[in-house]
Amino acid sequence: PRKITISSCPGRDENSDNCAYDKESDDEDLASTKCVLIQQVTAKEYEGAPRVVRMQVSLQQVESTVAQLNSWWRESGDGDKFVFTEKEAYKVLSNTFSERKSKSILMSLCHWRKLMMQMASDKNG
């Protein structure tokens, strides 16, 4: 099993699985930044990807996946956590994509450095 880490978080503490920005800060830029949200892939980033990546997933599929995962985060109440398992991602995306397509999209998001996947250290995910 693999765990997935959001790597596009602007306030991420590299030594922790939690958000590093000060939620009580009066800094409007920080307050408006949702640390746990995955940043969308831009059209320019998509077009710059290798052909094999673009053949596997469309920009619309990537955008839909990012939107669904971000929505799940906001609704989950676990807003400080930005590590999740592949199984959790597949469950979130199961109404829209097959597990195989979900995996392709998640791997593509790793290509754009929006996510990072690694083997989980435990057997729970």
Side-chain angles (χ1 to χ4, degrees):
R2 287 184 267 210
K3 70 177 186 176
I4 301 171
T5 304
I6 297 175
S7 58
S8 59
C9 171
R12 181 169 178 228
D13 177 355
E14 296 296 329
N15 299 314
S16 170
D17 285 345
N18 294 317
C19 187
Y21 75 93
D22 181 2
K23 293 180 195 162
E24 305 302 320
S25 173
D26 291 330
D27 185 333
E28 288 185 30
D29 289 336
L30 285 179
S32 66
T33 300
K34 295 290 188 184
C35 181
V36 296
L37 298 181
I38 302 166
Q39 302 299 309
Q40 283 287 0
V41 173
T42 66
K44 184 176 181 178
E45 287 174 312
Y46 181 80
E47 290 303 320
R51 185 171 182 240
V52 67
V53 173
R54 290 181 283 126
M55 287 176 55
Q56 291 180 14
V57 298
S58 71
L59 181 56
Q60 292 78 18
Q61 291 170 329
V62 173
E63 289 171 341
S64 174
T65 297
V66 170
Q68 288 179 66
L69 290 173
N70 286 340
S71 177
W72 170 64
W73 247 287
R74 285 188 290 272
E75 294 170 9
S76 74
D78 205 7
D80 288 347
K81 179 183 170 189
F82 59 101
V83 174
F84 57 99
T85 65
E86 265 184 299
K87 282 184 183 179
E88 288 174 307
Y90 296 153
K91 185 175 179 183
V92 170
L93 302 171
S94 66
N95 289 334
T96 309
F97 304 111
S98 68
E99 188 171 308
R100 184 175 181 176
K101 177 55 84 173
S102 295
K103 185 171 193 149
S104 293
I105 298 168
L106 293 171
M107 295 300 287
S108 296
L109 285 167
C110 291
H111 166 78
W112 289 297
R113 296 195 168 117
K114 306 298 180 178
L115 299 177
M116 187 172 56
M117 293 177 86
Q118 59 190 30
M119 293 303 289
S121 58
D122 61 37
K123 302 293 183 204
N124 296 329

